[in-house]
Amino acid sequence: MPMDFWRRIKDAGFPLALHDEADIRNAIILEAAELIEAQLPAVDASLTDAKAIIFRITPQGRAAISKAEPR
């Protein structure tokens, strides 16, 4: 799980637009795991000029963040 990305978005205002290729790749992973709800580029799209929008972190995503954070 992309933990640095999680830490950056966990308290973000949503919807959150992503333009950076690495951020979009992280969003793809999190959306596939059903940890966020997002609008992602088409499967065959080039990510260098793409954008993604995260609408929210799911309850499962919030639980994953809580488990991963140090106590």
Side-chain angles (χ1 to χ4, degrees):
M1 186 179 322
M3 294 311 297
D4 290 337
F5 182 70
W6 259 135
R7 288 183 190 97
R8 287 193 358 246
I9 70 163
K10 70 177 185 173
D11 296 319
F14 296 102
L16 176 63
L18 305 174
H19 301 279
D20 180 74
E21 183 176 350
D23 289 346
I24 294 170
R25 288 185 188 282
N26 286 324
I28 290 168
I29 292 166
L30 296 176
E31 201 268 340
E34 299 182 356
L35 300 177
I36 62 170
E37 288 182 4
Q39 177 182 339
L40 301 171
V43 174
D44 59 349
S46 167
L47 298 183
T48 55
D49 296 320
K51 77 172 187 177
I53 301 172
I54 299 176
F55 297 110
R56 73 181 188 114
I57 297 174
T58 65
Q60 300 92 323
R62 293 278 176 204
I65 290 170
S66 293
K67 285 182 183 179
E69 290 185 336
R71 298 180 192 247

